[in-house]
Amino acid sequence: MSLPTELVLQILQNLPNRDLKNVRLASKDFSVCAAEFLFRKLYISKQKEDLDAFEGATNHPLVRKCVRTLEYDAVVIWTELSEGQYYHQLCFLVASFRHCLDSYHDGHRHSDSQRTFDSPDPEINEFVRRCRNAPMTSMGLNTRVAEQGRYLLLHKEEFMKFDFIKRGYREWMERAMFERLHMQDQDFLGVLIPGLQKLDHLDSVSLSGEWPRAWYLENSGNQVSKCPSGSLVRRQWDPFTIEPLQWNCTSLAPSYGSAGRFWTIMSALSMASKQPRVFECKSIVSPTAFEIIAESSRPDNGRFARGCSTFAGLQRFSLRISNLETLLHRIRPELYDNMTGLQEMLNHMSMLETLELNVPWTARYRLQPPFRYNLIFPKSGIWERLTTFSIGFLAVHLDELIELLFLKMPNLRRLHLDYIDLLEGTWQDMIELFKYGLCSLEHVQIHEVTHLDHLERSNFLVAWELQDRLVDLENYILKGRDNLNLKHPCLRPEDPIQQSLAYLTELLRQCESKGPHGSLAAGVVQSQIDYSTMAYRRWRLDGSEAIVSEQA
């Protein structure tokens, strides 16, 4: 007796990939059903294995119909890497592995650091044995890794004799030369664009510029397995070979960096006439990626305009903008002043339902992040469908934050604020406004905000004793509108509950002091003052009637 296809699909959606592969061997019908889940995600990189897999999948009549998500694995395998530099990076990679291995044994009651490492390659077993013989004097993670790395560097001549190190460097250079000679941007687009055009059901695209470092120990703790997920190259990568460079490496040429690779995938989507519903940058992107539109003489501005139209139908957009101090080891504030491209992109994304932005701060700007509201958000942008908004590491004026959350995002249901620097006013005033104005909120999360209770701090880290208060604030925002018996967490015990109205009054004064720039925000605050005054008056009357009826 055969099962209905709908029921088969419902069963198969809960199976892991290894079981789905077996299901495909059962029959033609089961093969088609299992393919629906097995081939949902497709990877591409500038490496031959991933290019072949991408072309094979997009040319297969069944597989290409199943692909819903494409991930561009944009890590960098660089040709300008000497054998000495390769060994230097390998030293600290192995040092991290040794700590992971010893910690695994300690956690499983195997404290004997001389326990045999059981790799199929006897040369690697000997290498690990010698590494673990290195004396360790510190118990801290970072210092132990540094000690192990220094030990390997001091004994370079001894360890460089191992063939697997030379073999790993050789393979690295072969991959780097392939990418350099055969995979320039135009060559890569020549493969990517025709493949995209065949993916009729593609609705999600992600961009990754790094491999999260992780050691996958087998159950015995005596072997290191390869990464179980990611692109084909990632899954085949030898754990005892250094990992590809992140695209935010300071020594990389611009064409290797995040801006170049960001525009590569943008151009491909545009030229293939694809409009995904989801676009996610899993790795940080340089602010220089968004300077292109401001330079009218650049020939790629037309490509940027087409990219904006490609993103017009986005429902979810996730972006992490990089810290230029990390990229350049110095501050160049002028690069933060031109991000017109991002504003233009956001202005076109009127269909957004989820927006996640993270703009990292720099250690030299402890009191004020380099990224300000007016550099990120367009003046005319409105996102009426937006229900989920997450923003981190942003400096914003009082009136700007009110206009953003109350006028430009009128249907918010989930709000996450992280490391937000309020440039004037206080957060206790804003919390009271959130309680009344953001009435559709179902979830709110506030982390590490500044200017709470006028506390003076030298950095963004809120003292531990304030963490409970932040939780109370979140609870107050969500429940305070319907339960007026809740007192504002920043009020003193002897203050009456309705004293919280003073926060709104102060907020109104702050907005009005800005003149025409604060008029819209002042209107929002005034309407909430009117509502809250009536609500508290009704609450007092209801309370008085309850007391009278109880006495009677």
Side-chain angles (χ1 to χ4, degrees):
M1 181 178 67
S2 61
L3 294 173
T5 302
E6 293 80 4
L7 185 57
V8 173
L9 291 174
Q10 191 171 358
I11 295 172
L12 294 182
Q13 69 180 354
N14 299 312
L15 295 181
N17 283 353
R18 63 177 182 274
D19 293 336
L20 289 173
K21 293 175 183 178
N22 293 329
V23 170
R24 292 199 69 206
L25 303 176
S27 67
K28 289 184 178 179
D29 292 337
F30 273 97
S31 177
V32 173
C33 292
E36 179 71 22
F37 303 101
L38 189 60
F39 302 118
R40 277 181 173 266
K41 190 169 186 177
L42 182 62
Y43 293 87
I44 189 171
S45 74
K46 289 189 175 183
Q47 290 302 304
K48 188 177 186 305
E49 297 93 327
D50 287 330
L51 292 168
D52 292 343
F54 178 79
E55 289 185 307
T58 54
N59 289 323
H60 194 284
L62 172 61
V63 174
R64 68 187 182 199
K65 294 179 181 179
C66 302
V67 176
R68 302 291 186 273
T69 301
L70 175 69
E71 180 166 323
Y72 176 21
D73 186 355
V75 293
V76 179
I77 302 180
W78 199 25
T79 56
E80 308 297 327
L81 189 72
S82 67
E83 191 171 12
Q85 290 173 320
Y86 177 88
Y87 178 76
H88 185 275
Q89 293 191 35
L90 183 65
C91 288
F92 289 94
L93 189 69
V94 172
S96 301
F97 158 68
R98 175 190 170 169
H99 178 85
C100 180
L101 181 64
D102 290 345
S103 299
Y104 181 95
H105 286 162
D106 291 342
H108 289 73
R109 303 182 186 278
H110 300 303
S111 58
D112 181 11
S113 63
Q114 301 301 320
R115 182 172 178 174
T116 304
F117 180 76
D118 188 18
S119 168
D121 188 337
E123 191 180 43
I124 292 180
N125 290 333
E126 177 62 20
F127 178 80
V128 172
R129 186 190 67 79
R130 293 191 189 181
C131 288
R132 299 180 74 188
N133 283 337
M136 293 286 106
T137 60
S138 175
M139 297 300 293
L141 168 60
N142 293 333
T143 51
R144 284 174 66 89
V145 170
E147 280 185 315
Q148 176 72 81
R150 284 194 296 269
Y151 175 83
L152 291 171
L153 288 174
L154 288 173
H155 296 79
K156 179 179 177 179
E157 292 185 3
E158 174 187 350
F159 285 103
M160 279 292 289
K161 296 178 181 178
F162 286 97
D163 288 338
F164 81 90
I165 297 178
K166 298 178 180 179
R167 185 171 62 249
Y169 178 68
R170 233 178 7 253
E171 292 176 358
W172 171 279
M173 292 305 297
E174 288 173 359
R175 290 185 178 278
M177 291 304 297
F178 173 83
E179 182 173 329
R180 181 175 180 176
L181 297 176
H182 305 289
M183 278 294 116
Q184 297 298 320
D185 282 347
Q186 291 304 316
D187 301 320
F188 184 57
L189 290 174
V191 176
L192 183 56
I193 293 172
L196 285 172
Q197 292 172 336
K198 298 173 184 177
L199 301 178
D200 296 330
H201 302 288
L202 182 70
D203 61 10
S204 176
V205 177
S206 59
L207 179 62
S208 176
E210 61 183 307
W211 288 356
R213 180 169 294 180
W215 292 97
Y216 299 92
L217 295 176
E218 302 288 355
N219 293 332
S220 63
N222 290 340
Q223 286 191 21
V224 177
S225 64
K226 297 179 180 179
C227 179
S229 61
S231 64
L232 184 59
V233 170
R234 173 89 193 273
R235 285 180 277 124
Q236 293 179 348
W237 199 263
D238 189 341
F240 283 89
T241 304
I242 69 168
E243 296 172 345
L245 304 179
Q246 299 178 13
W247 62 13
N248 64 343
C249 180
T250 58
S251 54
L252 292 178
S255 59
Y256 283 103
S258 58
R261 308 225 166 186
F262 177 84
W263 284 110
T264 296
I265 192 68
M266 278 277 284
S267 300
L269 290 170
S270 173
M271 295 177 185
S273 301
K274 290 295 178 181
Q275 290 188 322
R277 293 188 303 107
V278 178
F279 188 87
E280 179 183 7
C281 287
K282 295 184 176 181
S283 304
I284 58 177
V285 178
S286 169
T288 57
F290 308 107
E291 293 182 319
I292 298 178
I293 193 173
E295 301 177 16
S296 58
S297 61
R298 292 189 58 150
D300 50 4
N301 278 340
R303 182 180 67 180
F304 176 83
R306 293 194 301 270
C308 283
S309 64
T310 299
F311 278 0
L314 276 186
Q315 296 179 15
R316 179 184 175 187
F317 183 54
S318 179
L319 175 67
R320 294 169 57 200
I321 304 174
S322 67
N323 179 340
L324 283 184
E325 186 179 54
T326 302
L327 293 176
L328 305 174
H329 288 295
R330 62 183 182 272
I331 294 298
R332 292 176 59 187
E334 68 274 13
L335 292 182
Y336 292 85
D337 296 338
N338 179 7
M339 296 182 64
T340 316
L342 179 58
Q343 294 177 337
E344 193 70 20
M345 286 171 56
L346 290 175
N347 201 29
H348 281 76
M349 298 179 191
S350 58
M351 307 293 287
L352 275 181
E353 297 177 4
T354 299
L355 176 59
E356 300 170 346
L357 291 177
N358 196 325
V359 282
W361 66 299
T362 171
R364 298 186 188 181
Y365 283 98
R366 290 185 180 275
L367 296 179
Q368 179 179 313
F371 289 99
R372 293 200 175 206
Y373 170 87
N374 61 345
L375 295 178
I376 306 294
F377 293 95
K379 292 182 179 180
S380 58
I382 296 178
W383 303 275
E384 294 183 351
R385 298 190 178 193
L386 196 72
T387 59
T388 302
F389 178 51
S390 175
I391 181 72
F393 301 91
L394 184 72
V396 59
H397 288 284
L398 200 64
D399 56 311
E400 294 171 337
L401 185 60
I402 294 174
E403 289 182 23
L404 178 67
L405 298 182
F406 289 82
L407 300 179
K408 297 187 175 185
M409 302 175 179
N411 295 304
L412 275 182
R413 295 185 179 276
R414 302 179 67 84
L415 176 64
H416 183 193
L417 302 176
D418 194 8
Y419 284 79
I420 304 298
D421 186 16
L422 201 58
L423 295 178
E424 74 266 325
T426 61
W427 274 102
Q428 60 262 37
D429 301 339
M430 289 300 301
I431 294 301
E432 187 67 16
L433 184 63
F434 287 175
K435 181 185 77 169
Y436 289 107
L438 301 179
C439 53
S440 60
L441 275 186
E442 299 173 354
H443 174 80
V444 62
Q445 203 168 14
I446 302 174
H447 286 164
E448 317 291 358
V449 296
T450 63
H451 295 179
L452 180 62
D453 275 345
H454 304 281
L455 292 177
E456 297 293 336
R457 280 157 296 172
S458 60
N459 55 42
F460 280 59
L461 298 179
V462 178
W464 285 108
E465 59 268 18
L466 290 179
Q467 294 301 322
D468 291 339
R469 184 177 298 184
L470 291 177
V471 174
D472 292 339
L473 290 174
E474 296 166 4
N475 183 64
Y476 181 72
I477 293 171
L478 295 177
K479 300 180 180 179
R481 183 184 179 93
D482 298 324
N483 183 5
L484 294 181
N485 289 306
L486 286 178
K487 179 182 284 191
H488 195 298
C490 292
L491 289 176
R492 294 171 296 182
E494 62 271 17
D495 291 335
I497 292 178
Q498 57 268 34
Q499 182 67 29
S500 59
L501 289 175
Y503 292 130
L504 292 180
T505 305
E506 174 60 22
L507 197 58
L508 179 62
R509 187 193 67 78
Q510 292 268 356
C511 293
E512 290 178 338
S513 68
K514 290 181 158 295
H517 295 290
S519 58
L520 290 176
V524 172
V525 178
Q526 183 61 63
S527 65
Q528 299 310 317
I529 289 178
D530 296 341
Y531 175 86
S532 59
T533 302
M534 292 179 57
Y536 274 114
R537 186 178 301 160
R538 193 181 308 114
W539 173 72
R540 287 198 301 270
L541 289 175
D542 292 343
S544 300
E545 292 174 0
I547 293 174
V548 170
S549 62
E550 183 179 343
Q551 291 176 347

